[in-house]
Amino acid sequence: MSSINALINPMPSGGNDPSPAESSARVGEEQAAFESTQSENTNKVPQEVILESFERIKTHFPAARIKKIMQSDEDIGKVAQATPVIVGRALEIFMANLVEASVVEAKKAGVRKISASHIRSAVENTEQFDFLVDAVEKYPPAES
Amino acid sequence: MSEFQGNSNTGEDLSLPKATVQKIIGEILPKDIAISKEAREAITECSIEFIMILSTQSNDVAEKEAKKTIASDHVVKALEELGFHNYLEIINRILDEHKELLKGKEKRNKFQNSGLSEEELLRQQEELFKKSRDRLQSNGSGGSFSEIKNE
């Protein structure tokens, strides 16, 4: 229900003022509200937070580079002009999601600097990131 | 793996531009949270994995439809199949914007192909005016006009 709401209205609080204190306070509120409904997965970053982060992204990846990376897999043949653009945007949403999940991990550990261990925990605690488990295995697990 | 395809594995040359990754992470992060270099590298690696898994899945979708070119619709379907349902709303919105943009470009191209630029048209018009003025003056009712003109 709440996710549908988020899709319809990605910016519930109106303006997207970048004031850090306020936005992190909002993140905290939403986190708490979300956790009460989603107790089985306490690490999930709410859709609203991902969307807000995505909206803050003003920098984009060059499509030519995305295309090159895609085609570094020899199975990948021709791609339409819009394809690398869309993949690039999807990547930005993905990054917003991964970074926010890592912020949650760092806060849980009580530190203000994200380390590679927090990335690992974020991957391990988020179902959507299952495909990354092998990639982050080399980093030390976060100490608890 | 052909040799001239670059013996450098995906890691080195074919990574994402560091400055761009750094900037985007900076735009996402709350101001009071910092990030280590190693964590940034981990995010870059994960990003490349994401591109690869999405490419592979998109390719599968395209092949299933017997298409040789991966189109943006295949990427959308692939995201769905990979479980990134929550990305679709944004992606579809961006796709619509992109299509609008292309439509606009096409229109402009048609205009450019059929006619000339506004400047060029104005210049031609000016030339026609001048010609007709000259004609009027040379046929004209007297020398007074050309005298004035010559001065």
Side-chain angles (χ1 to χ4, degrees):
Chain A
M1 224 3 218
S2 69
S3 73
I4 292 169
N5 217 344
L7 289 178
I8 296 166
N9 186 12
M11 304 284 260
S13 38
N16 55 343
D17 44 349
S19 143
E22 211 178 308
S23 80
S24 60
R26 216 184 300 144
V27 168
E29 272 171 37
E30 275 159 7
Q31 192 70 34
F34 200 84
E35 271 170 13
S36 60
T37 54
Q38 296 259 326
S39 48
E40 82 280 358
N41 191 351
T42 47
N43 286 82
K44 200 164 177 196
V45 177
Q47 178 79 355
E48 290 92 336
V49 175
I50 298 171
L51 283 170
E52 271 177 39
S53 296
F54 173 77
E55 299 291 344
R56 280 204 300 274
I57 299 177
K58 300 284 174 259
T59 311
H60 303 302
F61 287 110
R65 182 64 67 94
I66 302 277
K67 188 178 170 186
K68 259 193 195 164
I69 294 172
M70 291 178 74
Q71 291 179 329
S72 68
D73 179 340
E74 55 191 16
D75 290 335
I76 308 296
K78 279 192 269 184
V79 301
Q81 211 187 350
T83 300
V85 178
I86 292 305
V87 171
R89 292 313 187 83
L91 175 60
E92 287 164 22
I93 308 172
F94 165 80
M95 284 178 76
N97 195 347
L98 180 57
V99 171
E100 290 294 355
S102 307
V103 169
V104 171
E105 294 299 331
K107 281 184 177 164
K108 258 197 332 200
V111 295
R112 301 230 153 258
K113 187 169 187 177
I114 297 170
S115 73
S117 304
H118 300 132
I119 312 283
R120 176 177 169 164
S121 312
V123 166
E124 287 171 348
N125 290 327
T126 308
E127 207 190 317
Q128 271 186 340
F129 297 153
D130 272 353
F131 69 100
L132 296 169
V133 169
D134 292 342
V136 296
E137 220 176 17
K138 62 185 167 202
Y139 300 111
E143 61 234 58
S144 45
Chain B
M1 285 255 189
S2 59
E3 261 179 39
F4 46 84
Q5 256 259 302
N7 35 15
S8 54
N9 299 326
T10 324
E12 289 166 7
D13 287 340
L14 270 181
S15 190
L16 290 162
K18 267 192 191 150
T20 314
V21 172
Q22 195 165 346
K23 229 172 156 189
I24 291 178
I25 293 174
E27 286 167 349
I28 302 166
L29 272 183
K31 292 275 185 299
D32 57 338
I33 303 280
I35 186 162
S36 76
K37 191 170 168 248
E38 198 186 27
R40 242 178 4 233
E41 283 163 7
I43 290 175
T44 306
E45 283 168 51
C46 291
S47 299
I48 289 175
E49 288 295 323
F50 176 80
I51 298 175
M52 300 318 277
I53 194 180
L54 184 53
S55 303
T56 304
Q57 193 76 21
S58 304
N59 195 41
D60 286 354
V61 173
E63 267 175 13
K64 255 181 242 156
E65 293 181 16
K67 295 276 161 49
K68 287 202 170 160
T69 304
I70 302 175
S72 43
D73 290 345
H74 301 141
V75 180
V76 174
K77 192 114 184 280
L79 280 171
E80 211 177 334
E81 289 179 3
L82 290 169
F84 296 102
H85 302 275
N86 51 333
Y87 291 20
L88 295 177
E89 161 83 13
I90 304 175
I91 291 297
N92 281 324
R93 195 187 70 208
I94 292 164
L95 261 178
D96 287 345
E97 283 168 9
H98 194 78
K99 277 174 190 162
E100 281 302 307
L101 211 89
L102 284 182
K103 253 191 238 162
K105 262 188 197 161
E106 239 167 59
K107 262 186 205 159
R108 239 179 293 138
N109 282 344
K110 266 181 203 158
F111 172 71
Q112 277 168 1
N113 291 343
S114 67
L116 295 144
S117 73
E118 208 173 320
E119 237 177 26
E120 176 71 0
L121 284 170
L122 270 172
R123 205 182 57 77
Q124 286 191 354
Q125 190 183 36
E126 203 51 52
E127 225 165 53
L128 284 172
F129 282 157
K130 193 170 173 266
K131 260 187 206 162
S132 91
R133 233 181 288 131
D134 287 349
R135 213 181 307 136
L136 232 167
Q137 282 165 5
S138 58
N139 296 346
S141 38
S144 58
F145 272 116
S146 35
E147 266 170 40
I148 293 167
K149 190 189 156 207
N150 285 340
E151 275 174 38

